[in-house]
Amino acid sequence: MSTNRLEDSNAGSPSVPMGSSESQNLVEQILLEIWNTTLDRTDLTPTDQFFEIGGDSLLALVTIEQINQRLGWNLELGDLLRYSSVRALATNKTVPQVANTERAIVRMRSAGSRTPIVFIHPMTGLVFAYSKLAHHLGNDRGCYGIQSPLFMDSSVPDSIEGLAERYADLLADELGEDTFHIVSWSAGGTIALELAKIAPARGLGLGKLVLIDSFLWNALPQGNASPLWTTEQGMLQEFHENVLAQIPHGQHQGAVESGGDSDRVFRELSAAMFGADSQRGVDAGMQFIKRLYDAYRATYRAVGAYHPTPVSTQALLLLGAQNDTLEAWRSVIRGGLTVELLDDDHFGLLREPEAAKIAARIEAYCQ
């Protein structure tokens, strides 16, 4: 993966000479201001670790967006996971391993001696939902995330089979024949299943598969996709509710009215995620939400049209109480399926202590 140099180039951003102690102190001060705002704190220090002081996946996105706007950086999730304190970011900002914007694979934790883990994006196309799991699982272990190519301004295959082939290429380039495990959540499990199917022929060293409350609608003869898939309005409503469920601020909950305008929905989500205080921030957030919806819609349609065939693989299915696709998973996984019940709802992996419990289950299974 290539290394990009981060530069302070935005008009209106502080002009900070690189290499001086004063410039680093100023950068730390700016970063602390941003972190205190997004984490709703007033007592943070430069050595506090983001994901240990209340930071979660959505707050990470908000923080990264604010840093990029204010300092003109090109920061991504992998950078915040590797340099998870203000001091580490300020010290390493000129040489971090930044995710190549032309690729869809992100190094979330540095390599180690243990078998690496690859996270497959859910419906939204981003891997930020795995940030807490990567934190818990990344001890002496490389962690990678595969995002939708739409975020890299690349075309996206319109089928799960096509996505799996594209992602197999990414994994072959990054990991070669090395063994790795796949961890997937929600719709990511469907892509992971197809990857497991083609892994032997592609020479990929897939070890075990972990499916966190993943749904599989069309495996059984009577399987039918959710009714919401049939209309754009239904898809927009599902997107709206899915994104809001991942935002830790409950005051933004609500459903999309019938015939609701997509721009109004995007603006509401932008304000919920990035704040409504700055018009510039809302406008920038709108562009992000639109890309998020494009990725969501592409994955949504691919999953809805997918009819899997049996796969020989070992898998752990962590099943939520409202997931009714267990028999479908049993019908397609032939190598050995271990099923355990989740202690929390579908979004438990975004929160502590549920994320730590899920990570412990994954560790025990993959050993």
Side-chain angles (χ1 to χ4, degrees), residues 48-215:
D48 286 330
Q49 301 294 307
F50 186 86
F51 296 102
E52 297 177 3
I53 55 174
D56 57 28
S57 52
L58 262 296
L59 289 174
L61 275 183
V62 174
T63 302
I64 290 168
E65 180 70 15
Q66 294 297 319
I67 291 172
N68 289 344
Q69 286 189 28
R70 190 161 176 186
L71 289 176
W73 291 5
N74 186 26
L75 206 64
E76 299 201 18
L77 177 62
D79 302 309
L80 188 55
L81 286 162
R82 280 191 302 278
Y83 305 109
S84 56
S85 73
V86 160
R87 181 144 299 160
L89 272 176
T91 302
N92 295 283
K93 78 185 190 69
T94 57
V95 291
Q97 300 293 311
V98 180
N100 188 330
T101 56
E102 296 180 355
R103 301 186 64 196
I105 192 164
V106 176
R107 183 188 289 271
M108 300 174 71
R109 301 290 283 186
S110 299
S113 62
R114 305 171 69 198
T115 303
I117 285 177
V118 175
F119 299 101
I120 306 297
H121 69 79
M123 204 78 79
T124 54
L126 288 172
V127 295
F128 62 78
Y130 299 109
S131 57
K132 289 189 180 296
L133 285 185
H135 173 73
H136 289 295
L137 294 170
N139 182 27
D140 194 30
R141 185 203 303 275
C143 291
Y144 303 83
I146 294 182
Q147 304 187 117
S148 170
L150 276 173
F151 290 99
M152 286 78 228
D153 296 322
S154 177
S155 61
V156 175
D158 59 3
S159 68
I160 294 298
E161 293 85 353
L163 284 172
E165 290 288 348
R166 176 79 64 86
Y167 298 166
D169 290 339
L170 291 173
L171 292 171
D173 289 344
E174 189 71 37
L175 299 174
E177 298 180 354
D178 293 346
T179 301
F180 62 92
H181 305 306
I182 287 181
V183 174
S184 55
W185 171 58
S186 192
T190 307
I191 304 171
L193 180 69
E194 189 64 22
L195 268 170
K197 180 180 178 181
I198 67 175
R202 296 297 301 270
L204 298 176
L206 176 60
K208 293 182 178 180
L209 203 62
V210 178
L211 310 161
I212 305 172
D213 205 27
S214 294
F215 292 79

